[in-house]
Amino acid sequence: MKKTIVIIVLCVGLGLVSSSQAFADNLKEDAEIIVNKARIVIEEVKNAPDSGPAYDLIRQSAGVAIIPDMFKGGFVVGGSYGKGVVVARKDGKWSGPSFVYIGAGSIGFQIGAQLTDLILVVIGQNTMESFLRSNFKLGADAAIAVGPLGAQATAATEILLKGGIYSYSRAKGLFAGVSLEGAGLGTEFDLNRAYYQTTSNPKDILYGQVETPESGKKLFQALSAFIKE
């Protein structure tokens, strides 16, 4: 009887270990997919004829957040949800990606425009440090404005002077500004841990204190190529 109990306990324990490993492997795969999708978004925007304003702003940015497949990532009642990455830029160099989620109500979203990808251009180091928190709200904890288009991109604005976030959307090759006032942003600690294996802390990642995996290096190579055009 005792032997039977021991065997059952061992089997259960091995099953839990196996399940935990499978879960970790799945998270790692999910993280790699998100990073690769973010890179593809930047590469495609680079070739878009209407991406000039974003190009000008990213050159002045302290970082960029990229949320691929916003609406494909899953709906919640009366709003939407997605996962992506944020990378910091300092002295012309990009950090590795830290994983974030975004959740928003229907305010400001034009579902008829089939919004799929989001790009948030972060202006000012103080705004960039908002991403070191576990969560914050756009418009309340960080100023946000619809990304300017055309000649507006070079005009002096409060965000360019004081810091904040410009938001853009991209769907079916079209690039436009989008309102995200009131949307919530937060850190995906599990994805950070799965991707880096050493830390889940966005400060370690965005301050360049950990080694960036190969897919992350390809992402900031794509960003560097974008702003050098």
Side-chain angles (χ1 to χ4, degrees):
M1 182 64 179
K2 288 183 178 179
K3 285 185 178 180
T4 302
I5 293 173
V6 170
I7 291 171
I8 292 172
V9 170
L10 286 173
C11 288
V12 170
L14 289 171
L16 289 173
V17 170
S18 178
S19 297
S20 298
Q21 185 59 49
F23 179 70
D25 290 343
N26 288 339
L27 275 178
K28 172 70 171 173
E29 184 179 354
D30 289 346
E32 291 283 353
I33 289 171
I34 291 170
V35 173
N36 286 326
K37 282 186 175 182
R39 172 182 53 80
I40 291 169
V41 168
I42 293 300
E43 290 174 347
E44 291 180 347
V45 167
K46 175 186 172 185
N47 297 319
D50 48 359
S51 64
Y55 159 82
D56 290 336
L57 292 172
I58 290 175
R59 289 187 67 186
Q60 304 175 64
S61 73
V64 178
I66 308 155
I67 317 291
D69 300 334
M70 176 70 176
F71 285 125
K72 293 179 183 178
F75 286 94
V76 294
V77 176
S80 56
Y81 180 81
K83 295 180 181 181
V85 295
V86 58
V87 291
R89 181 170 178 260
K90 192 171 184 180
D91 299 326
K93 295 181 180 179
W94 297 95
S95 73
S98 178
F99 292 85
V100 294
Y101 67 83
I102 183 170
S106 57
I107 296 176
F109 283 95
Q110 301 298 317
I111 294 177
Q114 298 179 353
L115 176 65
T116 55
D117 304 318
L118 294 178
I119 296 178
L120 307 180
V121 183
V122 184
I123 304 296
Q125 190 58 41
N126 287 341
T127 307
M128 192 67 232
E129 289 178 0
S130 297
F131 289 90
L132 302 180
R133 306 183 213 163
S134 59
N135 58 74
F136 65 98
K137 183 171 286 188
L138 296 173
D141 300 315
I144 186 162
V146 174
L149 300 172
Q152 300 175 50
T154 56
T157 68
E158 187 172 356
I159 280 183
L160 279 175
L161 295 173
K162 297 182 179 180
I165 296 172
Y166 286 111
S167 55
Y168 287 96
S169 68
R170 191 191 70 93
K172 294 188 176 181
L174 300 176
F175 199 62
V178 62
S179 175
L180 290 174
E181 189 80 22
L185 268 165
T187 299
E188 284 282 351
F189 290 100
D190 287 345
L191 286 172
N192 278 350
R193 172 70 68 182
Y195 188 66
Y196 289 98
Q197 303 292 304
T198 56
T199 183
S200 62
N201 189 334
K203 182 176 181 180
D204 294 339
I205 297 164
L206 297 176
Y207 283 7
Q209 296 175 8
V210 292
E211 178 66 25
T212 303
E214 190 60 31
S215 57
K217 292 178 181 177
K218 289 180 179 179
L219 171 59
F220 57 65
Q221 286 168 3
L223 283 162
S224 295
F226 178 76
I227 61 177
K228 285 179 181 177
E229 280 296 298

